[in-house]
């Protein structure tokens, strides 16, 4: 299969070719490797490529035989390196599969390597000292987002049709928005974090994927959802597969719009215009759309402080464990300035402060839950601005402590983290683009706890009304027939 043909198919489409015997998994693997060879010098999204060590069972699942990449954090593949984007964990090799990796294998996915992440996933741009910056395929001068920036860039550039991603503060939805992809953060407890962890960042983090089509993300979530023994959270399983929901009409939804971010962050003109066009599209589709005033349940500064304490305390524990495991110092030789400052801040968080932060998490979750009784879906921009230039996010970061760094994260991405705190599903959909630059603009839709079905139905409808499948990023200029 030629690369130019390979990149026109989504994952479900490729698996259908394999199931019908029209193409062999080895041919898809070869095309994926060739696609990576062509674009990697310009985007730096894939940290390491591996020889495929699984023999997929063609036709056994909707994704069998499809090339796949996992993020360099959050999932363990036996015998493969997972370095967390950090010099502190350089050379680390996983001893066993995590629960999620076992499900990827059972799905028949052909895992070819790992994608870049910022150090310990502690940023919303992927520019780690260990591997260098990941570039946006639509404009290589700009960030691909983070912390799943490698996954976002690799999928947008056509290396693989979908890839593993994680989200603790927008880390899946931000790269989806920056790279013109679909990305859904599932409900807390939908996908297991085990066995190495019961929860990550006290339940803020979730496993998911980024993909070029809605049905790919739905098919993968169907294959990886469900609890494992010992999981601390449980999300009730849906009445039907998510892959079926994508094709079902969503009905006339009550959609509340939040045009202004919590905390007062202003949305830039291109994004505000995109939100206006999205509202008009939703009304044309028959939805009831109205501006909503949604109380967060906490003062914004109180919200930032609570999340800084939760995330930095968890970061400090992780850093100390890694330093002990590899017998390495915790200093500037192993950690970047922002991570080192976050570690020091986390060490100072007291037990009382940590418990108070969990109480804020509860208040936010309870407050947002009330609004999902009044609205089926809440709509916000995924981000208030277009993709940042590389290097822009870290400017002045050397002077920030853990509190200041999390404050910056929430200033740059003020719409995403509340839904991590609440544990509710939220997705970024590339409904439109900036008319001046052509860069994609993501819109975020959130639903009540366990209501991914509602989001997939709406996403399927939006995909038909404003399709992004087939758009070709600039990294393929002169090489791809559809550019």
């Amino acid at each position: 299969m030629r690369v130019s043909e390979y990149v026109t198919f989504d994952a479900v489409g490729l698996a259908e070719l394999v199931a019908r015997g029209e193409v062999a998994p080895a041919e898809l693997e070869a095309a994926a490797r060739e696609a990576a060879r062509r674009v990697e010098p310009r985007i730096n999204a894939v940290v390491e490529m591996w020889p495929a060590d699984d023999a997929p069972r063609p036709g056994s699942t909707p994704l069998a035989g499809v090339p796949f990449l996992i993020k360099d954090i959050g999932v363990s593949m036996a015998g493969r390196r997972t370095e967390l984007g950090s010099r502190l964990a350089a050379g680390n090799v996983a001893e066993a599969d995590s629960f999620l990796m076992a499900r990827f294998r059972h799905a028949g996915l052909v895992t070819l390597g790992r994608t870049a992440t910022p150090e310990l996933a502690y940023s919303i741009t992927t520019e780690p000292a260990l591997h260098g910056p990941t570039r946006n395929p639509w404009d290589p001068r700009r960030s691909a987002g983070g912390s799943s920036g490698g996954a976002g860039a690799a999928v947008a550039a056509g290396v693989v049709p979908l890839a593993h991603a994680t989200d603790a503060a927008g880390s899946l939805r931000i790269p989806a928005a920056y790279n013109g992809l679909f990305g859904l953060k599932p409900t807390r407890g939908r996908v297991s974090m085990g066995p190495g962890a019961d929860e990550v960042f006290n339940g803020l983090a979730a496993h998911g994927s980024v993909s070029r089509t809605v049905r790919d993300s739905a098919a993968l979530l169907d294959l990886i959802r469900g609890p494992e023994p010992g999981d601390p959270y449980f999300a009730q399983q849906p009445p039907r597969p998510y892959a079926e929901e994508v094709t079902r009409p969503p009905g006339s939804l009550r959609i509340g719009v939040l045009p202004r971010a919590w905390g007062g962050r202003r949305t830039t003109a291109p994004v505000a215009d995109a939100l206006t066009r999205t509202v008009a599209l939703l009304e044309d589709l028959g939805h009831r759309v109205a501006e909503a005033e949604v109380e967060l349940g906490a003062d914004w500064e109180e919200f930032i402080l609570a999340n800084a304490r939760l995330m930095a305390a968890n970061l400090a524990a992780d850093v100390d464990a890694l330093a002990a495991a590899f017998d390495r110092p915790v200093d500037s030789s192993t950690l970047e300035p922002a991570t080192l400052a976050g570690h020091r801040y986390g060490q100072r968080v007291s037990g009382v402060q940590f418990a108070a932060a969990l109480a804020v998490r509860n208040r936010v979750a309870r407050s947002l839950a009330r609004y999902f009784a009044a609205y089926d879906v809440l709509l916000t921009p995924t981000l208030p601005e277009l993709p940042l230039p590389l290097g822009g996010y870290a400017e002045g970061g050397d002077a920030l402590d853990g509190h200041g760094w999390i404050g910056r994260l929430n200033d740059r991405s003020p719409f995403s983290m509340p839904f991590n705190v609440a544990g509710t599903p939220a997705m970024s959909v590339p409904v439109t683009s900036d008319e001046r630059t052509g860069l994609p603009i993501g819109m975020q839709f959130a639903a009540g706890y366990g209501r991914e079905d509602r989001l997939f139905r709406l996403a399927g409808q939006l995909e038909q009304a404003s399709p992004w499948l087939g758009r070709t990023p600039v990294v393929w200029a002169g090489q791809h027939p559809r550019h």
Side-chain angles (χ1 to χ4, degrees):
M1 173 179 276
R2 294 177 180 268
V3 174
S4 58
E5 182 183 8
Y6 165 76
V7 298
T8 64
F9 285 90
D10 67 355
V12 172
L14 291 173
E16 289 172 347
L17 294 178
V18 172
R20 292 195 299 265
E22 296 179 26
V23 66
E27 294 177 77
L28 300 185
E29 178 186 343
R33 293 185 187 281
E34 176 61 17
R37 187 191 67 78
R38 294 190 191 185
V39 300
E40 262 303 287
R42 297 194 64 188
I43 63 173
N44 191 35
V46 183
V47 171
E48 184 181 18
M49 294 288 279
W50 303 315
D53 62 353
D54 281 337
R57 298 162 293 171
S60 58
T61 78
L63 299 177
V66 173
F68 189 65
L69 294 166
I70 57 175
K71 188 175 176 180
D72 193 28
I73 195 170
V75 61
S76 299
M77 186 176 185
R80 301 298 187 194
R81 283 191 290 178
T82 175
E83 297 174 310
L84 321 179
S86 177
R87 292 166 292 172
L88 185 62
N92 176 53
V93 176
E95 295 181 356
D97 284 354
S98 60
F99 288 150
L100 179 58
M101 189 65 230
R103 295 197 178 198
F104 287 152
R105 290 186 193 271
H106 190 261
L109 293 162
V110 182
T111 302
L112 299 179
R114 55 193 172 111
T115 58
T117 182
E119 183 169 67
L120 299 175
Y122 195 57
S123 179
I124 61 169
T125 185
T126 303
E127 304 178 47
L130 182 62
H131 300 297
T134 296
R135 299 177 179 275
N136 192 310
W138 298 96
D139 181 349
R141 299 167 298 179
R142 296 178 185 257
S143 169
S147 63
S148 303
V155 172
V159 177
V160 290
L162 81 167
H164 165 246
T166 66
D167 193 316
S171 289
L172 182 161
R173 289 159 287 160
I174 294 166
Y178 272 16
N179 293 282
L181 302 173
F182 176 77
L184 184 144
K185 178 195 79 69
T187 294
R188 181 179 294 146
R190 180 68 68 203
V191 181
S192 177
M193 292 285 177
D198 57 354
E199 58 181 3
V200 176
F201 289 123
N202 298 101
L204 271 62
H207 283 296
S209 65
V210 288
S211 61
R212 294 199 300 273
T213 64
V214 177
R215 70 175 186 172
D216 278 1
S217 284
L220 182 59
L221 189 54
D222 279 330
L223 293 166
I224 64 175
R225 60 180 165 86
E228 293 281 358
D231 284 353
Y233 303 109
F234 177 78
Q236 186 172 353
Q237 293 303 297
R240 62 182 64 86
Y242 293 130
E244 293 182 13
E245 299 290 1
V246 174
T247 63
R248 291 171 62 88
S252 178
L253 298 175
R254 300 166 299 166
I255 299 177
V257 183
L258 284 72
R260 291 171 296 278
W262 294 287
R265 176 70 151 89
R266 293 184 62 84
T267 300
T268 58
V271 177
D273 176 65
L275 179 63
T276 299
R277 284 182 278 144
T278 300
V279 168
L281 173 61
L282 291 167
E283 291 175 335
D284 288 345
L285 293 171
H287 300 294
R288 293 163 288 163
V289 187
E291 187 169 324
E293 293 290 336
V294 178
E295 296 294 331
L296 191 58
D299 176 83
W300 183 247
E301 288 305 318
E302 182 186 25
F303 177 78
I304 299 299
L305 180 59
N307 286 307
R309 286 171 170 170
L310 287 177
M311 299 191 80
N314 278 275
L315 175 71
D318 291 341
V319 165
D320 289 345
L322 289 168
F326 297 109
D327 193 24
R328 290 172 178 161
V330 178
D331 58 25
S332 60
S333 70
T334 57
L335 292 178
E336 298 168 26
T339 317
L340 189 58
H343 171 261
R344 291 169 179 160
Y345 181 84
Q347 286 184 314
R348 298 195 301 270
V349 175
S350 71
V352 171
Q353 291 172 332
F354 193 83
L358 290 175
V360 172
R361 184 191 71 172
N362 177 62
R363 281 162 40 202
V364 171
R366 304 295 179 181
S367 181
L368 290 181
R370 290 197 295 270
Y371 291 95
F372 290 118
Y375 299 99
D376 299 311
V377 171
L378 293 177
L379 164 65
T380 78
T382 306
L383 292 154
E385 58 194 341
L386 297 176
L388 293 171
L390 286 168
Y393 183 77
E395 289 180 359
D398 294 6
L400 297 176
D401 64 6
H403 183 192
W405 188 255
I406 298 301
R408 173 175 291 187
L409 183 157
N410 280 274
D411 179 64
R412 292 292 192 181
S413 182
F415 297 106
S416 59
M417 196 164 188
F419 300 110
N420 293 88
V421 174
T424 57
M427 65 181 182
S428 181
V429 184
V431 178
T432 186
S433 60
D434 175 38
E435 295 180 341
R436 183 178 66 85
T437 64
L439 290 168
I441 297 177
M443 289 291 130
Q444 177 179 241
F445 299 84
Y449 198 91
R451 294 313 307 263
E452 289 95 330
D453 57 340
R454 182 171 287 160
L455 293 182
F456 275 123
R457 289 197 294 268
L458 176 59
Q461 183 186 54
L462 289 171
E463 186 175 41
Q464 294 300 312
S466 181
W468 260 76
L469 180 64
R471 305 290 180 96
T472 306
V474 296
V475 294
W476 282 100
Q479 301 182 52
H480 196 291
R482 291 187 305 155
H483 181 77

